[in-house]
């Protein structure tokens, strides 16, 4: 096997083909080489087929800690950066590694903002089998996700929170690589996930960050040990870059809450923001309160995460989180008029109730397959840049451990057309196992990684 050419001086010219071959052959790239690839991705000077080849080589060979840190910083620096200091508040955010029905952003961001922290949130679109915060928000007519930095600051100053996308000037390298990973089967890599998430978070100039690292059948890294490595990696990388960070390992062994799609997820959050406590959304409410509690604590507005959680809960009960969310939607051009009757706005092209095909306990959900089922309703895209259907998705009527009787409704599928109902139904039936015995319960929140724990974990992992 040939060995890639390695330039021997620091100012020797770099060539993308050499860097692809170097990674393909299992070698480590230095910070200059990584910065070359990242700036080429952001500027559009490296063709997509070469970036794809390098991503696949990185996915297959893995990235060293040094490569991951260099990639994260180069991606952070690929465009303009936001400086939240003018807001006069501590800037704190939350980011999830991705899941199905994972909609906590629409709750935690307004709860934390209502408690006095600034939440400058740069988010992503649907990735692989998981939904995207931006696609869900864009189901609100008029909502603009691509704001300039000046607009981002204005919305933050007015509302305390703004949820926006990467743009050609804000983390442009992630904008390109994120969409490319989605189409090239290169999402599930700890290093690429870490760099993608942290480049956005560090470009937002955050003082503190709460990471929701998913584990279980619907997570990109479904094995607990892999998710723990990702959590430790992200905490230590963000802390080294100066952002106080905590990561919570949380269960994605089933969809979070009851809805997975676009508008139907916003609808579920509006109910919670109105102070309602539906049983089917209890895990969503619980996790959102826990994450918001940490954000409020790290933002200096509570003396502990438990106290932060109490403050967060009060914002759901007194309507202040709903007021913040509504104000942000309006400030970003969205029509909040539809919030007064969310159900009336929901106009799916076709729908079908899927009933239990057996009597027994819901023993297992293959949540990645359920995520693909949601995507095939029309709620996700097949190709980059395609529009998504605001009204498509799946509402689940039963959860893991529930006892169901044959014929009882298990889920309602909302698709763009009648023809798009069959595939999600068949995927759903394959993904859900009904058995005689209930499964072992899985805790919603598992291990918590602070800087010290992350560093100890990485030391042991390297040894
Ligand atoms: N969220 C991101 O922003 N990037 C990833 O790679 C995964 C989840």
């Amino acid at each position: 096997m040939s060995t890639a050419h390695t330039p021997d001086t620091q100012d020797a010219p770099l060539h993308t083909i050499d860097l692809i071959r170097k990674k393909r052959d299992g070698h480590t790239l230095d910070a200059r080489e990584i910065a070359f690839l990242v700036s080429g991705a952001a500027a559009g000077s490296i063709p997509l087929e070469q970036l794809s080849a390098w991503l696949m080589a990185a996915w297959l060979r893995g990235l060293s800690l040094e490569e991951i840190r260099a990639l994260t910083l180069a991606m952070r620096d690929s465009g303009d950066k936001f400086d939240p200091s003018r807001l006069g508040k501590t800037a704190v955010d939350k980011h999830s590694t991705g899941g199905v029905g994972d909609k906590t952003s629409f709750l935690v961001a307004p709860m934390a903002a209502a408690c006095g922290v600034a939440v400058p949130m740069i988010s992503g679109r649907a990735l692989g089998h998981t939904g995207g915060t931006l696609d869900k928000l864009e189901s609100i007519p008029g909502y603009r996700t691509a704001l300039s930095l000046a607009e981002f600051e204005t919305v933050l100053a007015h509302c305390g929170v703004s949820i926006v996308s990467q743009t050609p000037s804000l983390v442009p390298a992630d904008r390109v690589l994120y969409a490319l990973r989605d189409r090239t089967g290169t999402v599930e890599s700890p290093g690429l996930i870490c760099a993608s998430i942290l480049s956005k978070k560090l470009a937002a100039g955050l003082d503190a960050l709460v990471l929701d690292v998913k584990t279980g059948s619907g997570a990109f890294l479904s094995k607990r040990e892999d998710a723990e490595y990702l959590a430790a990696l992200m905490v230590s990388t963000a802390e080294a870059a100066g952002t106080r960070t905590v990561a919570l390992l949380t269960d994605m062994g089933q969809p979070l809450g009851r809805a997975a799609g676009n508008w139907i997820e916003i609808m579920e959050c509006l109910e919670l923001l109105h102070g309602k406590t539906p049983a089917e959304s209890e895990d969503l409410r619980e996790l959102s309160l826990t994450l918001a509690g940490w954000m409020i604590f790290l933002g200096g507005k509570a003396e502990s995460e438990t106290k932060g959680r109490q403050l967060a809960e009060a914002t759901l009960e007194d309507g202040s989180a709903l007021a913040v969310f509504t104000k942000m939607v309006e400030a970003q051009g969205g029509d909040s008029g539809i919030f007064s009757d969310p159900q009336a706005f929901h106009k799916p092209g076709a729908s079908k109730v899927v009933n239990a095909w057996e009597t027994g306990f819901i023993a297992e959900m293959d949540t990645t397959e359920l995520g693909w089922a949601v995507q095939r309703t029309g709620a996700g895209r097949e190709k980059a840049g395609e529009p998504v259907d605001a009204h498509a998705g799946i509402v689940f009527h039963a959860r893991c451990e529930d006892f169901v009787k044959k014929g009882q409704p298990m889920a309602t599928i909302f698709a763009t057309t009648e023809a798009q109902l069959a595939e999600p139904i068949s995927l759903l039936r394959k993904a859900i196992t009904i058995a005689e015995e209930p499964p072992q319960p899985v805790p919603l929140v598992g291990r918590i990684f602070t800087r010290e724990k992350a560093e100890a974990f990485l030391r042991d992992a390297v040894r």
Side-chain angles (χ1 to χ4, degrees):
M1 193 184 283
S2 65
T3 305
H5 167 72
T6 311
D8 46 13
T9 64
Q10 266 307 302
D11 50 9
L14 294 173
H15 301 278
T16 309
I17 182 66
D18 294 339
L19 306 184
I20 296 170
R21 293 168 63 234
K22 190 169 176 183
K23 192 76 252 174
R24 178 199 69 189
D25 295 342
H27 300 292
T28 303
L29 271 59
D30 66 27
R32 189 171 80 104
E33 292 167 326
I34 297 233
F36 173 82
L37 288 169
V38 168
S39 60
S45 56
I46 299 183
L48 296 184
E49 66 271 17
Q50 287 198 304
L51 290 174
S52 305
W54 185 81
L55 285 170
M56 186 54 86
W59 192 97
L60 291 168
R61 289 294 193 170
L63 295 167
S64 71
L65 278 179
E66 289 69 31
E67 285 179 306
I68 295 168
R69 288 190 174 144
L71 184 62
T72 305
L73 299 185
M75 285 171 66
R76 173 196 68 184
D77 297 340
S78 65
D80 298 336
K81 277 177 269 187
F82 182 63
D83 174 9
S85 64
R86 279 202 296 266
L87 298 169
K89 291 178 176 176
T90 310
V92 186
D93 193 6
K94 179 270 346 171
H95 201 94
S96 151
T97 55
V100 178
D102 183 7
K103 53 189 93 66
T104 64
S105 293
F106 312 123
L107 298 164
V108 302
M111 283 194 273
C115 290
V117 300
V119 188
M121 187 180 274
I122 307 173
S123 293
R125 298 196 175 279
L127 186 65
H129 67 279
T130 68
T133 297
L134 302 175
D135 296 319
K136 297 169 198 181
L137 277 172
E138 284 174 356
S139 69
I140 304 168
Y143 189 93
R144 287 173 57 231
T145 54
L147 300 191
S148 67
L149 274 188
E151 289 173 316
F152 191 35
E153 184 171 335
T154 304
V155 177
L156 277 160
H158 183 59
C159 312
V161 54
S162 177
I163 307 182
V164 298
S165 59
Q166 319 98 316
T167 66
S169 59
L170 191 59
V171 251
D174 187 54
R175 184 167 175 263
V176 173
L177 297 176
Y178 189 95
L180 209 48
R181 284 168 59 221
D182 190 38
R183 322 203 277 280
T184 55
T186 51
V187 174
E188 307 88 342
S189 148
L192 297 178
I193 295 174
C194 171
S196 165
I197 292 179
L198 292 187
S199 60
K200 292 190 278 288
K201 303 294 110 175
L202 299 177
L206 299 176
D207 296 297
L209 171 64
V210 178
L211 292 165
D212 178 3
V213 180
K214 302 292 187 192
T215 161
S217 66
F220 286 127
L221 302 180
S222 56
K223 286 200 214 118
R224 206 199 58 228
E225 315 82 83
D226 294 341
E228 285 177 348
Y229 172 68
L230 177 60
L233 181 64
M234 288 200 290
V235 170
S236 113
T237 307
E239 287 272 357
T243 301
R244 189 162 176 212
T245 304
V246 165
L248 281 68
L249 230 67
T250 76
D251 180 49
M252 193 21 79
Q254 60 182 320
L256 188 65
R258 68 173 185 277
N262 295 311
W263 173 246
I264 54 176
E265 292 200 26
I266 302 277
M267 233 184 345
E268 183 176 8
C269 290
L270 284 171
E271 229 182 302
L272 300 184
L273 287 168
H274 271 106
K276 298 197 181 126
T277 56
E280 322 83 75
S281 304
E282 189 42 38
D283 60 339
L284 169 65
R285 189 172 186 277
E286 177 58 33
L287 180 57
S288 302
L289 288 172
T290 304
L291 295 168
W294 274 100
M295 289 171 77
I296 294 162
F297 166 54
L298 294 182
K301 298 289 173 192
E303 69 227 13
S304 66
E305 67 276 13
T306 318
K307 192 81 186 66
R309 186 201 149 96
Q310 287 164 10
L311 295 176
E313 192 158 22
T315 71
L316 292 182
E317 286 159 2
D318 68 12
S320 51
L322 175 64
V324 168
F325 184 69
T326 308
K327 203 166 162 187
M328 176 194 76
V329 166
E330 288 167 358
Q332 294 192 213
D335 175 8
S336 67
I338 60 172
F339 293 177
S340 58
D341 191 353
Q343 194 60 56
F345 178 66
H346 187 217
K347 294 199 176 63
S351 65
K352 175 127 183 103
V353 175
V354 181
N355 295 324
W357 44 94
E358 271 173 56
T359 294
F361 290 95
I362 305 214
E364 214 181 319
M365 288 186 164
D366 180 339
T367 310
T368 292
E369 282 308 302
L370 291 175
W372 288 118
V374 173
Q375 189 247 12
R376 306 276 149 88
T377 61
R381 51 180 71 74
E382 294 278 330
K383 293 194 220 96
E386 260 181 6
V388 297
D389 182 348
H391 305 280
I394 302 182
V395 170
F396 296 90
H397 308 304
R399 308 183 48 73
C400 274
E401 298 173 50
D402 283 358
F403 183 79
V404 290
K405 285 213 173 111
K406 189 171 174 177
Q408 171 184 332
M410 292 263 285
T412 304
I413 318 260
F414 301 105
T416 311
T417 62
E418 291 284 334
Q420 276 167 280
L421 286 167
E423 194 183 1
I425 292 174
S426 132
L427 285 170
L428 182 124
R429 288 184 62 128
K430 277 192 232 139
I432 299 180
T433 308
I434 303 177
E436 278 178 20
E437 298 296 325
Q440 285 293 327
V442 179
L444 184 58
V445 179
R447 209 164 157 184
I448 296 178
F449 285 84
T450 54
R451 178 163 63 83
E452 296 72 26
K453 288 193 183 141
E455 270 153 22
F457 183 95
L458 290 180
R459 267 196 306 276
D460 289 348
V462 169
R463 249 186 260 132

